[in-house]
Amino acid sequence: MKQTETDTAVLDQRLAAWDRKELLNGCQAVAQGVRLADVDVISAYPIRPYTEVMDALSKLIADGKLDAEYIIADSEHSQFEIVKHASSVGARAFAGSSGTGWMYGFEALVVTATDRLPPLFLVGNRALDDPGAFGVEHNDAMALRDMGWLLCWATTAQEALEHVLIGYRVAEDSRVRMPMALAMDGAFLTHSQHMVQVPTEEAVARFLPRYDLGPRRLHPDNPISIAPQVNEDWVMELRRQNWEAARRAKGVIVQAYQEFNEIFGERYATPFFSEFMTDDAETVLIGVGAVAMPARTAVRRLREQGRKVGYIGLRWFRPFPTEELRECLSRFRAVGVLDRNFAHGSPDCGGIVLHDVRSCLYPLASRPAVVNFIGGLGGRDISIADCTRMLEITGKAAERAGDEETVTWIGLRE
Amino acid sequence: MSTGLPVIKYDKIKGVKNTPHEEFYTSGHRTCQGCESAMVMRQFAKASGPRTIATGSTGCMYVANTSYQTTPWIIPWMHTQLGAGGASAVGMAAGLRALMRKGKLPEEKINVINFSGDLGGGDMGLSGVSGALQSDYDLLIIMYDNESAANTDIQATGLTTYGAQTTFTPPGQKHRIMARRWKKNVAGMLAVGHPTCRYVATASATYPALDFLNKVRKALAIGGPTFIHTFDPCPKGWDFHPRYSHELGELGIKSGIFPLFEVIDGKVIYSYDPRKKGRVPVREYLEKQGRFAHLVDEDVDYIQQMVDKMWEEWEVPGVAPFRGNLNSAQK
Amino acid sequence: MIKRVEVNYRGIFQKSLGKYLGSDIVMIASRMGKVAFSNGRYSDSPERNGIPCKYFAFVAEDLSEEELEAECGAKLDIDEADVSVVVDDTMVKGVEPWGWHGVRPINEKVHEKGCLLVITRHQPEDLLKFIAKKPYPYRLATLEGDASLAGMWVFKDDLTRERVLGAIAAVDPGIISIEAVEAYLLDKTKDARRAGAAREAYEATLRRVRLVKPGEGINWSHPVPVLPKWHEFEDTGIAVPAVPRGFKLGPRGQGRNDRFKRGTTKTHRPVIRFDLCIECTLCWLECPDGCFDPTEDGLYDVNYEVCVGCHKCAEVCPEPECIVMVDELRFENDRSPWEHWVRDPQGYIRWAEEKKGKERVHFPVVTGTGREVREGTYVPPKLSGAETPA
């Protein structure tokens, strides 16, 4: 690209947007995002693996690097309610959880969405009990999928930090006002340390405006009643309003990434999902979260052998990028959907992502073959070899021999 | 406020004629005729005034008050979940404190109040209320106690009086009494368990006159996290004609079945000491309610014995059921 | 053909009565070989003391249970009724069960030639002074009696239930026949007195059915609120504006929720002898609904639009005869009594005493255990020159 003088100025500005590199794990990177977002209220309750973000935040407050109320709650339910109500008075608020802790507070999560309040939560994905298990599994965050939330996965610690900023920006937009769940694979992402670029406060201030609830702020100068009881005469209309906000959110997300790129450099080519080596691909794998690393590596190595394969990392699960993903996936002969979750008793006993992807493709006259992989449950690792195998199985499905299994468990002792 | 109306001060109201006229919880709610919990709403809003924000946990005072997309609230109000009363108050107070400290809101005292029913505040939300009372925020939690889950048409809670009929505790041919739990002493347990909480009280909306209004003001004036447990006769669930809701409250207090006290910085003050004029027999209170229509003499005697013990044997009558003769041991 | 019966009743006070009537109709119709089912209007629940509620019963001879359920079951309210039963006659002034519903005429659902059946001691002509006119003829039947009010746990077994069944058989034997009612009651209770009460009410009602002509009744002044479309209230979707702050001394001086006034909850209203008032404040202070308005002369006006008739003010008032609860049907409007008093003290006292009459309805503490009428004591006017407004 030819650079004009203005472009150079923009580039300089973009370079100035970055402050320093720090060695941070995923939780600590999110804590840096929370610091940069100048969050007002934080509520903590311990559960692995998300807890470390709260450890990091309490230290930032203790050291005077962040000015926020830090409330140690008596349960996740209280933790989420504290954050919800702090948000209702106009405070930018942050909480998070993992696994069964997330589920313990679920009632509060449901109403945060229907109250149309935009706090941000970190979900350090963890398998649900019983038996107790610490490892990653996406069912905890996925339980939000029908609840009126923004739900997005970070792939790296760097992305996690950046998505705290993007998340608040989208959630708090007056056209949206929905709560934001930023999910991150437990252990793999929450606990491994990487060199992370930390933006400057000035650049963040340009990107993320102050939180302003406007006419929905609970304050004596703005007397309103929030969430009066309704009956059959009202619920459908209110649900439709929620749906409209989710619809508008898509446009706001696109705009947020555009401006993020303008301020911080071309970080994201596409907002809702990332595409890797898909240009002339025939077979692609689509997955969520940190599995992108082995998957992309597998793709790269297969490409070296001349195989037309690619990887799609689904970043935003809610709102689901229906049209965008449909258009994208229509280019391929076969799509392998990798689910790090399990939808017990669902069609084909597959995963949650499978169902949404298949449903999204249904209106196409000519649909790619779709197969599903269940893998990495409870923290089981997904290797490069696993990803290679999945791409191969998906490639065979493209032949539509008719004998392919819809769902394959990867990494299972069998 | 742009209306230019006076902001209410927290002085003690001396005499009913000095009660502020202006309402901040007004007519147009779907509560029962003669609802004493609605009295609690009206009085706390009147006492705390316009610079107040409130949350109401799920329960009668949520569903009945904001009848289907309308509101009787003049102060800002928000629904909170059944067990989230304490957390909602902490969240609002924390948000306001942070915003004011960081210059995002003008500094001022804004009253933060949550009201929860006995099911929400005394059972499900007890842990959250405890969490709130451990905090250092200015907040007031009012537990309005009508001794049942009245919003789901009267089920027993941990605060239902022994023996009472509810849909979970119907008298039957084999079991006359299904409600066999003794009423949980929420204010007492909170006062005992939260030594840094400076104000815990029980109250009645209408007897003695101004009792509750002034307790709300005292709580707001003392500051920090505070708690008031109100005793609310419920014409619906207790089954008496709404005409007598004041009388039932007065009888409950005079019989001593519901003790009225304040614990201020650890000091216990009885707002109405039924021992002074002699406690009215509990029977007079019980027989005026359809929910006790199935009781026989031995049941009434048992309830009377328990109330007698509370006043005569407890080390701190009405507040804490310890019987260690601690006072005499010290002598 | 489907027969639809609605029972309009007072929440909680008549909750059991409403449900029993619905159940009885189903049982009796079933014994007659018909298909029937019954339900309550779901939005009425949770019920509150006094708030108008409905219970329904549906009967068909030639439909399957599934078809009957499909036609009548999955609905919030019915579109039309063959019989609208009113078990408390003060509901003829209109019913407003919840916010955004409006004050609806009691005969709203009665279809052409259908019947409005009211338990009352008033004459049909007196009731029609409150009932909305309809463009078609329908029938108005009256069954002599008082509103049978009880509570959650103690039911008032005063034969109202049996008498209403008999009256329904009289106004529409296509729903249940009197013979079936009698047989059912006898089988169920082995108590000839109950079957007799139904029969007696049946015969009395046959003599007290009146045709209401098209246009007979009053012009209904209460609008039915128009519910907004989803995109018309997005700004206020989950949050509604608070009631605007506002207070001044005098009638209607306090800001109130004008979307739900719910004055139709009351069966009685307080009539105040302002000349007897000692300004103790208790009526105002103790009103759960905040319906009293302090006035500049130290009195307390009552706003009848929002008064729900709980009787509490009359109970806590220390002055005999100062506040007396009076049958709601004796009043045509909700105007400020204090303004009347200020304008014409002598005339006001005469008006108040005329409304009060001699009878004082007395409820026991446990509502279902009785009701008696006592004689009031007339207290002569206490008017001195200084206290009488000019």
Side-chain angles (χ1 to χ4, degrees), chain A residues 228-241:
Chain A
Q229 179 79 10
V230 295
N231 65 349
E232 298 88 333
D233 288 337
W234 296 93
V235 176
M236 284 197 69
E237 285 70 24
L238 290 169
R239 297 281 182 267
R240 181 64 182 78
Q241 292 177 356

Side-chain angles (χ1 to χ4, degrees), chain C residues 68-144:
Chain C
L68 182 64
E69 176 79 28
E71 290 280 355
C72 306
K75 295 182 102 171
L76 176 60
D77 205 339
I78 54 173
D79 297 324
E80 54 178 33
D82 294 85
V83 180
S84 287
V85 184
V86 185
V87 288
D88 168 45
D89 62 2
T90 57
M91 282 188 282
V92 303
K93 293 185 81 172
V95 286
E96 185 183 26
W98 57 77
W100 280 93
H101 187 272
V103 179
R104 302 286 185 92
I106 194 65
N107 60 351
E108 185 184 28
K109 305 297 183 187
V110 180
H111 66 56
E112 186 164 359
K113 300 195 176 94
C115 185
L116 182 69
L117 169 63
V118 187
I119 297 185
T120 186
R121 294 200 186 277
H122 292 272
Q123 293 304 309
E125 289 68 29
D126 295 332
L127 300 181
L128 283 166
K129 287 177 193 160
F130 299 105
I131 298 176
K133 59 171 73 161
K134 291 186 91 75
Y136 48 75
Y138 66 98
R139 293 171 299 147
L140 171 61
T142 50
L143 176 63
E144 189 163 350

Side-chain angles (χ1 to χ4, degrees), chain A residues 67 69 74 85 221 225 229, chain B residues 51 71 101-102 127 137:
Chain A
D67 183 4
E69 292 298 297
D74 60 281
H85 286 280
D221 291 339
S225 283
Q229 179 79 10
Chain B
R51 303 310 278 176
T71 185
R101 184 175 66 235
K102 293 163 89 170
S127 141
Y137 295 110

Side-chain angles (χ1 to χ4, degrees), chain C residues 12-69:
Chain C
I12 302 301
F13 289 128
Q14 298 179 315
K15 181 182 163 80
S16 301
L17 178 62
K19 189 170 184 178
Y20 290 156
L21 287 169
S23 314
D24 290 339
I25 292 169
V26 174
M27 293 296 290
I28 296 165
S30 302
R31 288 164 59 108
M32 294 170 74
K34 302 180 187 191
V35 173
F37 78 95
S38 173
N39 58 24
R41 186 168 58 178
Y42 194 65
S43 281
D44 291 331
S45 180
E47 287 180 18
R48 317 292 177 186
N49 281 56
I51 303 245
C53 298
K54 283 189 187 185
Y55 218 90
F56 304 114
F58 306 98
V59 179
E61 282 183 57
D62 47 4
L63 286 180
S64 70
E65 198 165 333
E66 183 174 293
E67 277 178 287
L68 182 64
E69 176 79 28

Side-chain angles (χ1 to χ4, degrees), chain A residues 64-292:
Chain A
K65 291 175 181 162
L66 169 62
D67 183 4
E69 292 298 297
Y70 186 89
I71 300 142
I72 303 162
D74 60 281
S75 68
E76 283 89 357
H77 190 276
S78 288
Q79 183 195 8
F80 301 167
E81 285 283 348
I82 286 167
V83 158
K84 177 190 99 183
H85 286 280
S87 184
S88 78
V89 300
R92 185 171 283 164
F94 176 80
S97 193
S98 292
T100 47
W102 184 248
M103 303 313 281
Y104 188 81
F106 209 73
E107 180 198 35
L109 300 179
V110 171
V111 290
T112 306
T114 48
D115 283 331
R116 301 288 302 281
L117 291 168
L120 187 139
F121 293 68
L122 171 66
V123 194
N125 296 126
R126 169 177 169 169
L128 299 175
D129 294 0
D130 253 356
F134 296 129
V136 54
E137 197 173 292
H138 290 168
N139 277 81
D140 52 4
M142 282 290 181
L144 278 182
R145 68 191 183 277
D146 303 330
M147 300 298 157
W149 277 64
L150 303 167
L151 173 58
C152 160
W153 262 268
T155 307
T156 62
Q158 183 70 43
E159 275 190 22
L161 186 158
E162 292 170 8
H163 277 78
V164 174
L165 309 175
I166 293 169
Y168 276 120
R169 159 98 183 229
V170 174
E172 291 171 358
D173 190 290
S174 63
R175 292 163 289 181
V176 180
R177 290 198 183 121
M178 293 164 69
M180 165 81 191
L182 172 57
M184 194 159 76
D185 286 22
F188 298 118
L189 197 43
T190 54
H191 282 62
S192 63
Q193 303 185 86
H194 296 268
M195 293 306 293
V196 175
Q197 273 200 314
V198 181
T200 63
E201 285 169 21
E202 296 72 27
V204 170
R206 282 210 306 282
F207 175 70
L208 181 59
R210 257 174 68 167
Y211 172 39
D212 181 6
L213 253 184
R216 296 230 172 135
R217 179 179 61 127
L218 198 71
H219 187 275
D221 291 339
N222 183 50
I224 49 172
S225 283
I226 303 176
Q229 179 79 10
V230 295
N231 65 349
E232 298 88 333
D233 288 337
W234 296 93
V235 176
M236 284 197 69
E237 285 70 24
L238 290 169
R239 297 281 182 267
R240 181 64 182 78
Q241 292 177 356
N242 287 22
W243 183 81
E244 190 67 13
R247 195 184 63 76
R248 285 191 298 249
K250 284 184 68 179
V252 174
I253 290 168
V254 170
Q255 195 188 346
Y257 280 99
Q258 270 170 7
E259 288 185 31
F260 193 88
N261 287 345
E262 281 167 23
I263 295 172
F264 297 100
E266 296 298 328
R267 301 271 311 124
Y268 299 95
T270 48
F272 298 106
F273 46 84
S274 65
E275 294 191 44
F276 183 76
M277 293 194 160
T278 56
D279 275 354
D280 60 342
E282 291 177 356
T283 300
V284 296
L285 202 55
I286 178 167
V288 170
V291 75

Side-chain angles (χ1 to χ4, degrees), chain B:
Chain B
M1 293 279 287
S2 53
T3 55
L5 287 159
V7 172
I8 290 175
K9 305 250 183 334
Y10 303 124
D11 305 337
K12 182 175 180 183
I13 301 161
K14 291 176 184 143
V16 287
K17 295 204 175 186
N18 295 315
T19 311
H21 281 145
E22 190 177 0
E23 309 292 348
F24 296 94
Y25 161 85
T26 188
S27 323
H29 38 88
R30 200 171 174 270
T31 56
C32 288
Q33 291 177 356
C35 174
E36 288 293 283
S37 296
M39 284 301 311
V40 170
M41 301 296 112
R42 185 178 163 218
Q43 308 259 39
F44 97 69
K46 187 186 277 290
S48 60
R51 303 310 278 176
T52 300
I53 56 178
T55 53
S57 304
T58 311
C60 271
M61 291 301 104
Y62 167 43
V63 175
N65 272 326
T66 56
S67 166
Y68 302 152
Q69 205 69 355
T70 75
T71 185
W73 293 103
I74 291 173
I75 52 170
W77 166 92
M78 181 175 176
H79 172 226
T80 193
Q81 295 311 106
L82 184 59
S88 71
V90 169
M92 291 189 291
L96 291 175
R97 182 186 282 181
L99 293 172
M100 288 178 195
R101 184 175 66 235
K102 293 163 89 170
K104 296 176 184 176
L105 262 187
E107 285 270 3
E108 70 161 315
K109 168 84 183 280
I110 293 174
N111 302 315
V112 170
I113 298 177
N114 162 261
F115 53 88
S116 301
D118 42 313
L119 185 74
D123 284 344
M124 184 193 257
L126 193 56
S127 141
V129 171
S130 169
L133 294 190
Q134 278 193 308
S135 78
D136 65 349
Y137 295 110
D138 288 334
L139 55 88
L140 167 62
I141 296 168
I142 297 165
M143 185 179 75
Y144 67 94
D145 174 13
N146 48 31
E147 299 203 333
S148 72
N151 201 48
T152 33
D153 284 346
I154 317 300
Q155 290 76 33
T157 71
L159 283 94
T160 301
T161 294
Y162 173 91
Q165 177 167 4
T166 69
T167 60
F168 282 179
T169 56
Q173 299 192 339
K174 183 172 166 89
H175 300 291
R176 183 177 66 256
I177 289 180
M178 292 283 280
R180 305 198 68 85
R181 303 185 294 183
W182 193 256
K183 185 181 174 78
K184 199 189 284 188
N185 180 356
V186 176
M189 105 171 71
L190 292 175
V192 167
H194 301 81
T196 57
C197 166
R198 298 187 56 204
Y199 189 80
V200 171
T202 63
S204 149
T206 56
Y207 183 81
L210 306 183
D211 174 68
F212 176 58
L213 273 168
N214 278 324
K215 282 173 177 167
V216 170
R217 290 196 160 192
K218 206 182 271 187
L220 297 174
I222 288 174
T226 51
F227 180 85
I228 302 176
H229 171 180
T230 65
F231 174 62
D232 306 355
C234 169
K236 171 179 171 178
W238 298 13
D239 192 357
F240 60 84
H241 192 277
R243 182 176 183 116
Y244 305 101
S245 50
H246 173 102
E247 183 178 338
L248 263 294
E250 190 169 332
L251 274 173
I253 289 153
K254 287 184 167 171
S255 68
I257 196 166
F258 189 86
L260 275 193
F261 61 82
E262 294 172 293
V263 183
I264 308 176
D265 289 327
K267 190 178 171 197
V268 178
I269 300 167
Y270 292 98
S271 324
Y272 177 92
D273 192 336
R275 294 169 296 190
K276 287 187 179 159
K277 287 186 187 169
R279 280 182 280 124
V280 170
V282 167
R283 179 183 296 277
E284 287 185 29
Y285 166 72
L286 300 176
E287 70 188 6
K288 291 192 166 65
Q289 303 171 55
R291 63 174 173 157
F292 297 120
H294 57 293
L295 297 197
V296 299
D297 286 350
E298 68 180 83
D299 306 329
V300 176
D301 292 346
Y302 171 71
I303 295 171
Q304 184 67 59
Q305 275 172 28
M306 288 292 283
V307 174
D308 290 348
K309 272 187 193 168
M310 176 168 77
W311 287 103
E312 291 159 16
E313 296 179 23
W314 288 17
E315 203 69 31
V316 190
V319 182
F322 308 133
R323 274 172 280 182
N325 288 323
L326 300 176
N327 290 338
S328 54
Q330 279 164 3
K331 287 168 201 165

